[in-house]
Amino acid sequence: MKKYIALVFLGFSISLYSQNETAQKKEINFSDLNKKQIIDSLNKKLEEYYIRPKSIGEISKKLNENFKKGKYKDILVPNEFASKLSTDLIDASKDLHFRVMYDPAWAEDQQKIKEKGTQEKIKAAELIEAKKKNFGFIQAKILEGNIGYLEFNYFEDPAIASETAASTMQFLNNTDALIIDLRKNNGGVMEMGQFISSYFFSNKELPLYKYYYFEENRKKVDREMWLLPSVPGKRLDQIPIYILTSGGTFSAAEWMSYSLQNLKRATIVGEKTAGGAHPITRVVVSNGFSVNIPFGEVKDPITNMDFEGKGVMPEVLCKSEEAVNRAHLLALEQLSQKDTDAVSNLNWFTPVVKNRQQPFIADKEILKSYQGKFGKSELIFEGNNLYFRWNNIITLLLTPLESDLFLVDGTDEYRIKIIFENQSVTAIKRIYRDGQERVYKKD
């Protein structure tokens, strides 16, 4: 039981088995009797596990009333019934972690969980699915200005994912700042948040979370989760951290954001998160059904609070689709304030980052007017694009950053700027990254 709790400690649980389609098709007699048995079994599990015992009576009452009023009568497909029960549980409790599922194969395996063969089967299935998803890690790359970017969309158990997590962190360990994208992250195993967060501190003893949960028969278990004393490879304890959030950032992803925010270790950029702070456990209900039940409570050691129903509020509020560029610009600005050598990076990359969010649309007639020869260089307008040709050897596409400033395809060492006198093009200028300039007058 404890191992399974760890697997779904926060966030939506991930189904590790495909739906039993044969069982679905044979479930012709999905009668009111079946539905009543499922509701009764569900109510019993609420009594055993749900974190808010005072709310159980109202929730059970609501489900029973819906049954008596015939609101479930016309539902003939088990998955549809599971979806309806999920909606009703959330409506009655306002707790976003509730989820009812129909998966007879999973339920059957849980009944045999103590059998060695079943445990091995479950672990094997978990590992296969996790590998297909690269343990949640989507991409890691280096943005302009040596800013690291990491996106992962769920928190896998470090017992099977720590090697991938560690190698990802090592790929990013020479960056000057790090952006962590949790905008599409719905949570998962809280220990992964602990593992990743430990990279952002020197070897300190700091508590990340205080929590408790209920086991069967409402036995209370108290726990604390601290920063790990060691992590594989180099720590990133000296660089700025930015975490991107959205309205879909949920559960363990929220806890990592909330904890690092309260420890003054990360700046949150984006939208307020969903507001699901409770850990869950998945338990078997009757007739092949199961349910995710919030069975514990987590508190931040600094605030002694959580964000259940409220969400985590970013320091920098913006639309989620704007968050990457906002964080990127913030990182460049912060680095330039600490290091005068980084000012050139700020000036060089800022137009690129801004243009990525809102691409500059150049007037085709204006681009056409830039054509001409400039010594060994030439500007050519062709197919609605402007090209830079050098010495009749190489031709490179120019991408407008501004009306008179262009990126040169294939290189970031220099850019092309159009020079005017009396509203006429008189020259082009190569602007180099190191500050040098070369002017080529128009023939």
Side-chain angles (χ1 to χ4, degrees):
M1 183 66 179
K2 290 183 180 179
K3 290 183 179 179
Y4 179 66
I5 290 170
L7 286 173
V8 294
F9 184 62
L10 280 180
F12 294 114
S13 66
I14 301 166
S15 179
L16 301 173
Y17 303 91
S18 60
Q19 294 294 330
N20 191 325
E21 294 181 4
T22 303
Q24 289 272 23
K25 292 176 182 177
K26 289 183 179 179
E27 196 71 59
I28 299 172
N29 296 318
F30 190 54
S31 64
D32 286 345
L33 177 60
N34 297 129
K35 295 167 188 171
K36 187 65 169 69
Q37 289 172 345
I38 293 162
I39 291 171
D40 289 344
S41 178
L42 178 56
N43 287 335
K44 184 178 178 181
K45 296 303 179 184
L46 292 176
E47 291 285 350
E48 291 180 9
Y49 291 102
Y50 187 40
I51 187 62
R52 293 173 172 170
K54 293 181 180 179
S55 302
I56 294 172
E58 282 299 315
I59 297 171
S60 298
K61 180 181 177 182
K62 183 68 174 178
L63 296 179
N64 289 327
E65 284 180 353
N66 287 349
F67 177 78
K68 290 177 182 178
K69 291 178 180 178
K71 292 190 175 182
Y72 307 130
K73 191 172 185 63
D74 295 332
I75 300 177
L76 303 177
V77 179
N79 273 334
E80 291 181 9
F81 185 53
S83 178
K84 177 60 176 169
L85 286 177
S86 298
T87 299
D88 290 346
L89 282 169
I90 293 171
D91 286 346
S93 66
K94 309 305 179 189
D95 198 316
L96 299 176
H97 272 106
F98 272 115
R99 184 184 174 200
V100 180
M101 293 151 280
Y102 179 68
D103 192 341
W106 185 89
E108 183 178 349
D109 279 344
Q110 292 304 303
Q111 302 292 350
K112 303 175 183 177
I113 193 66
K114 293 183 180 180
E115 298 177 10
K116 184 178 179 181
T118 299
Q119 293 180 21
E120 291 176 352
K121 175 184 174 183
I122 291 173
K123 288 181 179 180
E126 291 170 354
L127 185 58
I128 289 171
E129 288 299 312
K131 284 182 176 179
K132 289 178 182 178
K133 299 169 183 175
N134 198 39
F135 304 99
F137 292 90
I138 302 301
Q139 59 176 322
K141 59 184 178 181
I142 312 300
L143 302 176
E144 294 89 348
N146 198 31
I147 310 300
Y149 173 84
L150 170 62
E151 179 186 10
F152 59 108
N153 61 7
Y154 78 95
F155 284 57
E156 185 53 84
D157 186 353
I160 61 174
S162 61
E163 184 176 341
T164 297
S167 63
T168 302
M169 297 306 294
Q170 293 315 295
F171 172 77
L172 297 162
N173 70 8
N174 292 314
T175 54
D176 295 320
L178 178 61
I179 297 170
I180 302 174
D181 193 343
L182 301 181
R183 290 176 297 171
K184 298 178 182 178
N185 195 308
N186 292 146
V189 182
M190 203 165 181
E191 284 81 356
M192 179 56 80
Q194 175 193 34
F195 185 80
I196 297 293
S197 296
S198 297
Y199 276 92
F200 306 141
F201 297 86
S202 59
N203 190 8
K204 292 182 178 180
E205 293 185 358
L206 284 175
L208 289 173
Y209 322 109
K210 298 187 299 183
Y211 63 97
Y212 70 89
Y213 59 87
F214 289 124
E215 292 186 332
E216 288 182 276
N217 301 316
R218 303 201 74 79
K219 179 183 177 182
K220 186 179 180 182
V221 179
D222 289 291
R223 292 283 187 268
E224 285 188 347
M225 194 175 289
W226 290 58
L227 289 170
L228 298 174
S230 64
V231 290
K234 177 183 172 183
R235 293 177 186 261
L236 291 77
D237 56 311
Q238 299 297 317
I239 67 173
I241 306 293
Y242 302 87
I243 296 179
L244 311 185
T245 59
S246 73
T249 305
F250 191 62
S251 201
E254 294 181 271
W255 267 113
M256 180 173 164
S257 305
Y258 188 64
S259 173
L260 293 178
Q261 183 185 57
N262 290 328
L263 287 168
K264 309 298 183 186
R265 189 61 189 91
T267 301
I268 313 299
V269 181
E271 299 171 346
K272 185 177 74 170
T273 64
H278 292 158
I280 61 169
T281 185
R282 184 178 177 184
V283 295
V284 175
V285 186
S286 67
N287 297 68
F289 284 74
S290 57
V291 60
N292 284 349
I293 296 181
F295 76 128
E297 190 170 56
V298 186
K299 295 292 185 183
D300 182 85
I302 295 175
T303 66
N304 201 36
M305 297 173 63
D306 64 15
F307 47 83
E308 179 66 31
K310 298 175 290 187
V312 181
M313 183 62 70
E315 286 91 349
V316 181
L317 271 171
C318 65
K319 294 180 180 179
S320 64
E321 61 267 26
E322 299 173 0
V324 175
N325 288 341
R326 286 291 295 273
H328 194 174
L329 290 171
L330 283 171
L332 291 171
E333 290 170 5
Q334 185 171 351
L335 292 174
S336 69
Q337 291 169 6
K338 291 183 177 180
D339 181 3
T340 54
D341 291 337
V343 173
S344 59
N345 274 347
L346 174 65
N347 296 333
W348 185 254
F349 293 122
T350 294
V352 179
V353 178
K354 288 183 175 179
N355 195 67
R356 186 174 292 137
Q357 180 64 42
Q358 291 184 319
F360 180 81
I361 307 300
D363 185 281
K364 304 302 186 245
E365 291 301 316
I366 292 177
L367 292 181
K368 191 174 182 179
S369 72
Y370 294 161
Q371 291 188 106
K373 292 188 176 182
F374 304 81
K376 291 185 178 182
S377 302
E378 185 177 1
L379 296 186
I380 302 167
F381 182 77
E382 188 176 283
N384 292 327
N385 291 312
L386 193 64
Y387 294 87
F388 173 71
R389 179 176 292 172
W390 179 78
N391 205 24
N392 283 323
I393 296 174
I394 186 170
T395 302
L396 302 168
L397 174 68
L398 296 181
T399 301
L401 290 173
E402 299 169 5
S403 62
D404 59 352
L405 181 64
F406 296 83
L407 288 174
V408 182
D409 188 42
T411 181
D412 195 40
E413 292 305 309
Y414 66 91
R415 293 170 187 165
I416 297 295
K417 187 173 179 63
I418 311 298
I419 306 300
F420 299 89
E421 286 185 17
N422 299 321
Q423 299 183 339
S424 295
V425 177
T426 59
I428 60 173
K429 182 190 293 184
R430 280 198 191 192
I431 303 174
Y432 288 85
R433 188 170 173 177
D434 63 4
Q436 296 185 57
E437 297 181 350
R438 292 181 186 175
V439 176
Y440 302 86
K441 292 184 178 181
K442 190 173 184 179
D443 293 355

